[in-house]
Amino acid sequence: MYRFKPSYALKARSVSDYPAKCTQAAAIMLMVENNLDPAVAQHPEELITYGGNGAVFQNWAQYLLSMKYLSEMENDQTLHLYSGHPMGLFPSSAEAPRVVVTNGMMIPNYSKPDDWEKFNALGVTQYGQMTAGSFMYIGPQGIVHGTTITVMNAFRKVLTKGETSKGKIFLTAGLGGMSGAQPKAGNIANCITVCAEVNANAATKRHQQGWVDELIDNMDELVTRVKEAQAAEEVVSIAYIGNIVDVWESFFEQEIFIHLGSDQTSLHNPWSGGYYPVDVSYEESNRLIREEPEVFKVKVQETLRRHADAVNKHTARGTYFFDYGNAFLLEASRAGGDVMAENGIDFKYPSYVQDILGPMCFDYGFGPFRWVCASGKSEDLDKTDAIAASVLEKLMQESPEEIQQQMQDNITWIKDAKQNNLVVGSQARILYADAQGRMEIAKAFNDAINSGEIGPVVLGRDHHDVSGTDSPYRETSNIYDGSRFTADMAIHNVIGDSFRGATWVSIHNGGGVGWGEVTNGGFGMLLDGTADAERKLKSMLLFDVNNGIARRSWARNSEANFAIKREMARTPKLKVTLANLVDDDILNNLSL
Ligand SMILES: NC(=O)c1ccc[n+]([C@@H]2O[C@H](COP(=O)([O-])OP(=O)(O)OC[C@H]3O[C@@H](n4cnc5c(N)ncnc54)[C@H](O)[C@@H]3O)[C@@H](O)[C@H]2O)c1
């Protein structure tokens, strides 16, 4: 199928440059091409955008056919894509989505990792990750913003009122695809980031890209440099070329206090190079993986036990440690590491969603809203940044205390966004906002398009959000009523968005944590300045966020309960079933 790879450059062009009969289809072509741009995609030849095997299409014939259908499509037709395969254009209506995407949808009993290998090889399914197969990837700024929000809020959990993160240490590992965002986020969050990376090439690449300030490959030098940075309350990010376990152990001996600790090695893939053992060189580890995999596995498990012990010594001194969704606690527990809580069921440490993103963001509706200026003009992006900042500033004046901090963080982010210089590919921006924020920003964009101030805008979001993703160990890990193993929310989300005005919708198996482990969905919506666009954005964004808040509130998450009551007061036609809380004493004292 490589012979069908087009000879023209793959990149997001201006929406007006596409040979299409309707602007909605042209906007989707722009987003597809952006996901395949060699400057954006990890393995563009293989149509893989990010996340190991996150595919846009299975092959180039599917790409070509889909682009042809999009160029012929009129605004009363819908293209149905089955895991990249264009089943065809079907008559629909102007109200319907132009494209419906499914990726990796399986009969549940056939959704194990080995099943993916088999059915992908047969060419009948693909792994769409989250924003790869839904044409909504916007390069590294998405992950930088999410990581910044996480680090800033983690500091808030540990600092006393009035204390700042200056001179405080965030210790973590990994300078790869997503983990490489950590030092950049640490700098934005104003702390000292120490990030260990065993692969010297990966560390050097991040240094050259300006994502980490300093490279150090000697432990004594690292200890001296970190003590100096602490004393001077510097904001600096340091890559240590070496094993993370050595850093945890040395910092303990040297009595260096770590405020925040985490880990972003690729422990979802522990036996094939996702996590490197301590006291074995990088080259020797790679030889062991190839020639003596069983020896490698034993060394990884020994290291995980040592890693857990070193973390435990620091947390006993007061370090706040969280799992960054990379299966560190899971693999450490499987290796016999001391990471289980006293009840023998839970882990000792929380995940980043349980403690931070869940209660502080998702439950209030804050999530990774994003937009792309379809004109391709950077001036349009500047104008949308300014519009979004002024909408948020206005909203903040009336915001309740509970969400003031999130509003302020996002105002700061959007004001600094241009200078953080994170645009790669399309003219895109990410901004965490709640339902009201997303709706008001979108309406202000639509007004600006109507008055000719800016060109059309595509709205979307990461699937890793309030409502889009059911993932029991990640996005929905802070749901404790037993429903975190269900996927009704993600399914309702995609169906609900599709009849409220989305330009395209998508629903995927896998994404982030792997095939069979998660169901995640999203949407894209073109704003063209019309009254129709305004009606659709109001209807769809209200549902897109509040579907998830309602479910989180039904699970008795107090922040979500607060948010949904507030939304019902603002939106009389919204009537959500609320939980009646039972006094724990009554339950605990029931005689059976
Ligand atoms: N950033 C996020 O918001 C986020 C969210 C959820 C999950 N994750 C998870 O984070 C993990 C990392 O993702 P990625 O895309 O960066 O993966 P990656 O494989 O590109 O990078 C991981 C890096 O860790 C390094 N490493 C491995 N073992 C090490 C050790 N013992 N000491 C020091 N360095 C070591 C590797 O050399 C590699 O460069 C994945 O499991 C991913 O699912 C990230």
Side-chain angles (χ1 to χ4, degrees), residues 316-345:
R317 280 184 181 167
T319 298
Y320 172 68
F321 183 86
F322 60 95
D323 184 288
Y324 214 140
N326 65 337
F328 170 74
L329 293 174
L330 183 68
E331 286 306 331
S333 70
R334 286 176 178 162
D338 178 14
V339 292
M340 298 309 292
E342 274 177 19
N343 66 12
I345 301 167

Side-chain angles (χ1 to χ4, degrees), residues 275-294:
Y275 181 83
Y276 281 78
V278 68
D279 296 338
V280 185
S281 73
Y282 185 63
E283 293 70 27
E284 173 61 4
S285 294
N286 288 335
R287 189 196 66 76
L288 288 175
I289 295 172
R290 282 193 310 273
E291 295 170 17
E292 294 178 72
E294 283 310 313

Side-chain angles (χ1 to χ4, degrees), residues 143 147 173-180 196-199 202 242-244 264-268 273-276 282 324-326 352 474 512:
I143 198 70
T147 312
L175 285 170
M178 288 199 279
S179 49
E197 169 57 66
V198 282
N199 179 350
N243 202 291
I244 180 62
Q264 265 196 56
T265 56
S266 275
L267 270 161
H268 68 271
Y275 181 83
Y276 281 78
Y282 185 63
Y324 214 140
N326 65 337
Y352 74 117
R474 226 171 77 170

Side-chain angles (χ1 to χ4, degrees), residues 99-138:
V99 179
V100 172
V101 176
T102 57
N103 279 306
M105 284 292 117
M106 300 300 290
I107 302 300
N109 268 347
Y110 302 87
S111 195
K112 310 223 165 35
D114 283 353
D115 295 322
W116 177 78
E117 300 284 352
K118 178 173 158 188
F119 293 108
N120 185 241
L122 281 173
V124 294
T125 194
Q126 74 172 2
Y127 187 68
Q129 266 288 4
M130 293 201 156
T131 52
S134 62
F135 325 137
M136 198 42 81
Y137 186 68
I138 57 163

